[in-house]
Structure formats: C-alpha cells, structure tokens
C-alpha cells in the first residue's frame, strides 16, 4: 500500500515521478486523433481515450524509474527514487494502480483498443528488461508504443488504417528523440551493460541517425500535403514545420553542449515540439468520407459486441 506522502517536497517528487507533462501531451494526442477522424463522437469517447493514454504514459514513466533506479543514481541522481524522496514500493504500487486504471478506462472503448492497451502495458512493464537484451531494440519498442497512441485513437473511431502517416511520423520522431536521450544516459547504460547506438558506435553516430530521421520527416511533410486529402493543409504544414523546428533547435543545442543544463533545455524544447505536434494532429482532418461511414458501422458493431 502507498505510504502517506507528507510535505511539499514529497508532492513535488510525486509529480516529477508521474511526468504530468508527458501524460497531458499523450492524452491530448489521443483526443486530437479522435477529433481528426470523427468529431461527432460522444464526449466520453474523447475523455476515455485521453484518460487511457495519460494514465498509461504516467505509469510507464513510474515503472521505468522503478526498474532503472540503479542506473539513475549515475545519470539522474536528482530523480525521486535515487534521491530517496520516494520509496521503491511506493513507485511499484503507483505504477500498478495507474496501469490498472488505464485498463478499466479502456474496457468501454471496445475489444481492439483494450487489446492494444494490454499489449502496450506488457511491453512498458518489461521495457527495462528489454533494454538489457538490446538497447536499440528498446528504442524501437518505445517508438512503437508512443506511435500507438495515434493508432489507439484510430481504433476508437473504427478506422485503424486512416492515420498511418501520422503514426509513422510519430514513430520516427520518437526514435530520433530516444537516440539522443541515450547520449545523455550513456554512462549509466554502460554501467548496466545496455547496448545503445551511443555506446556501441559513439554519440556522433547517434546524432547522425537522429538527424537523418529529422530530415526524412521534414521531406515527408510536402509529400503528405500532396497525397493526403486534408481539410486544412496549410494549417497542418505550419504546425508540422514548427514541430520539426523546435525538435531541431533541441538537437542543435544539446549537440553543441552536453551539460545537465543543456539536457534540461533539450527536454523543454522537445515538449514544446510535441505540443505543436498535437496541434498538427488536430488539423490533420482527412477527407475520407467513405471510410468515415464504414468506420461508424465498425464502431457500432464493436460496441454491440461488448
């Protein structure tokens, strides 16, 4: 059972452990996906989708810190668990509770969203163990799970293949970010025997691959504008460009100076980039009326089965 948390410091430690900005952005992204595909859905679909993603991503941050406490004593000694502000049992029970609430919130959304949530939770719970097998595989798993937040919104609407471009975009975006995160965590990863691009081939190689993904994403924006029947193409292109600009600024600053202060700026710029990315997703309303009608029927069938 969770021990009672007393004082402002303990509450701040709890909020830090939960990574509320990450949870909020995840929930907003799910909301934006549902809106982009079918803004006529009832409010509870939006709220449940956002709740599932927010709870799941907060729980993922908690359980990751739980498993990585020894590594964080080197890379992030200021975090709640290595600093001793919160205990390991508290973190474990908190993660269990949040994942459990995410599952409960996913049940009314249908069998397919529920299955996606269950698979994602299993991978998130074992993420640190996957890292020990291969850190590069861990990067791919994280990128897949993060991009699944858009896929979840697609399943809720009943159009699983309608948002393949933003799902792939978010996969590459997250993979690039994870490669740079590994540069900062290289010492701790090395101490735990975790193999990453930064550890195996060096930080410059990690930055090169990340920049290659960034260039690929930038090139994809005009291609998407040309091939996807968007309702608001200019607004989409504006937000997408700002998203990549913020990410580029984050990478440039950290590549030039890899101090702890620069790392905090990297996080700040990346979160700002994600906020613009969510706005970008909300503008990506595709003109897919036939799919919309079939998706509505699929949605009704899904609810009838439950």
């Amino acid at each position: 059972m969770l021990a009672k948390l007393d004082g402002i410091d303990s509450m701040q430690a709890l909020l830090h452990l939960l990574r509320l900005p990450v949870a909020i952005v995840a929930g907003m992204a799910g909301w934006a996906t549902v809106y982009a595909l079918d803004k006529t859905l009832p409010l509870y679909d939006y709220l449940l989708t956002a709740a599932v993603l927010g709870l799941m991503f907060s729980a993922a941050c908690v359980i990751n810190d739980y498993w990585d406490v020894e590594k964080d004593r080197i890379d992030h000694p200021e975090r709640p668990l290595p600093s001793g502000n919160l205990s390991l049992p508290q973190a474990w029970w908190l993660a269990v509770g949040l994942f459990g609430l995410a599952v409960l919130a996913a049940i009314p959304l249908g069998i397919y969203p529920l299955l996606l949530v269950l698979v994602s939770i299993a991978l998130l719970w074992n993420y640190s163990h996957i890292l020990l097998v291969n850190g590069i595989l861990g990067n791919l798993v994280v990128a897949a799970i993060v991009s699944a937040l858009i896929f979840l919104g697609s399943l809720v609407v009943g159009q699983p293949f309608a948002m393949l471009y933003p799902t792939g975009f978010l996969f590459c975006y997250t993979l690039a970010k994870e490669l740079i995160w590994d540069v900062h965590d290289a010492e701790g990863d090395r101490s735990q025997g975790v193999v990453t691009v930064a550890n195996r081939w060096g930080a410059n190689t990690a930055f090169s691959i990340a920049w290659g993904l960034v260039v690929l994403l930038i090139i994809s924006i005009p291609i998407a504008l040309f091939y996807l029947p968007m309702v608001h193409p200019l607004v989409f292109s504006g937000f997408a460009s700002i998203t990549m600009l913020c990410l580029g600024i984050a990478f440039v600053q950290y590549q030039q100076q890899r101090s702890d202060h620069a790392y905090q700026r990297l996080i700040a710029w990346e979160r700002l980039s994600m906020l613009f990315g969510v706005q970008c997703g909300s503008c990506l309303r595709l003109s897919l009326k036939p799919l919309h009608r079939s998706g509505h029927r699929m949605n009704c069938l899904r609810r009838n089965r439950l």
Side-chain angles (χ1 to χ4, degrees):
M1 190 173 179
L2 278 174
K4 185 177 179 180
L5 297 176
D6 295 320
I8 296 176
D9 290 341
S10 295
M11 183 57 66
Q12 288 177 340
L14 179 62
L15 294 176
H16 186 275
L17 187 66
L18 291 172
R19 309 295 203 285
L20 288 184
V22 175
I24 292 171
V25 170
M28 289 172 62
W31 185 295
T33 302
V34 174
Y35 175 80
L37 292 174
D38 188 353
K39 64 178 181 179
T40 65
L41 284 183
L43 179 61
Y44 65 80
D45 275 333
Y46 286 87
L47 294 175
L48 287 174
T49 303
V52 167
L53 292 170
L55 290 165
M56 194 166 63
F57 275 77
S58 265
C61 293
V62 174
I63 199 61
N64 183 63
D65 280 10
Y66 174 85
W67 293 120
D68 287 355
V69 63
E70 294 302 324
K71 184 164 71 75
D72 285 345
R73 295 189 199 280
I74 299 172
D75 294 326
H76 305 280
E78 77 287 350
R79 285 183 175 176
L81 298 183
S83 67
N85 290 328
L86 295 175
S87 69
L88 289 176
Q90 286 175 331
W92 193 89
W93 281 108
L94 182 59
V96 170
L98 291 171
F99 277 136
L101 289 173
V103 171
L104 291 176
I107 292 174
L109 294 176
I111 185 64
Y112 295 119
L114 177 61
L115 288 175
L116 178 61
V117 168
L118 290 174
V119 171
S120 297
I121 288 175
L123 291 172
L124 289 168
W125 188 273
N126 293 284
Y127 167 67
S128 293
H129 304 297
I130 295 172
L131 278 181
L132 293 176
V133 176
N134 189 287
I136 300 171
L137 175 61
N139 293 150
L140 295 172
V141 168
V142 170
I145 292 174
V146 172
S147 61
L149 63 86
I150 292 180
F151 188 53
L152 176 66
S154 301
L155 289 177
V156 170
V157 176
Q159 300 184 47
F161 305 112
M163 298 289 274
L164 291 181
Y165 169 70
T167 300
F169 189 101
L170 187 55
F171 178 89
C172 294
Y173 176 101
T174 305
L175 183 58
K177 182 188 71 173
E178 287 295 311
L179 291 170
I180 304 306
W181 260 229
D182 287 344
V183 173
H184 179 269
D185 294 344
E187 184 178 353
D189 287 337
R190 204 175 293 117
S191 70
Q192 299 295 310
V194 177
V195 178
T196 64
V197 172
N199 280 344
R200 176 65 66 87
W201 294 286
N204 288 336
T205 300
F207 272 105
S208 296
I209 297 174
W211 278 116
L213 290 169
V214 169
V215 171
L216 178 65
L217 291 176
I218 292 173
I219 293 174
S220 75
I221 294 172
I223 296 176
L225 286 170
F226 184 78
Y227 284 103
L228 295 180
M230 300 181 192
V231 176
H232 304 294
L234 294 181
V235 179
F236 164 79
S237 62
F239 278 118
S241 299
I242 296 173
T243 297
M244 298 314 301
L245 176 62
C246 291
L247 186 65
I249 292 173
F251 285 3
V252 166
Q253 290 186 347
Y254 190 65
Q255 190 170 12
Q256 292 175 345
Q257 183 184 11
R258 298 171 199 170
S259 63
D260 288 338
H261 181 64
Y263 179 70
Q264 294 304 318
R265 290 203 308 269
L266 170 68
I267 294 174
W269 275 105
E270 189 276 329
R271 287 177 179 171
L272 181 62
S273 173
M274 284 295 292
L275 285 174
F276 281 111
V278 170
Q279 293 298 321
C280 172
S282 66
C283 296
L284 188 61
R285 294 193 58 228
L286 308 182
S287 301
L288 298 174
K289 294 182 180 178
L291 280 177
H292 174 84
R293 288 193 295 269
S294 64
H296 179 70
R297 289 195 298 270
M298 184 177 179
N299 196 44
C300 293
L301 288 173
R302 167 179 57 95
R303 295 192 185 284
N304 289 335
R305 285 198 296 272
L306 293 176

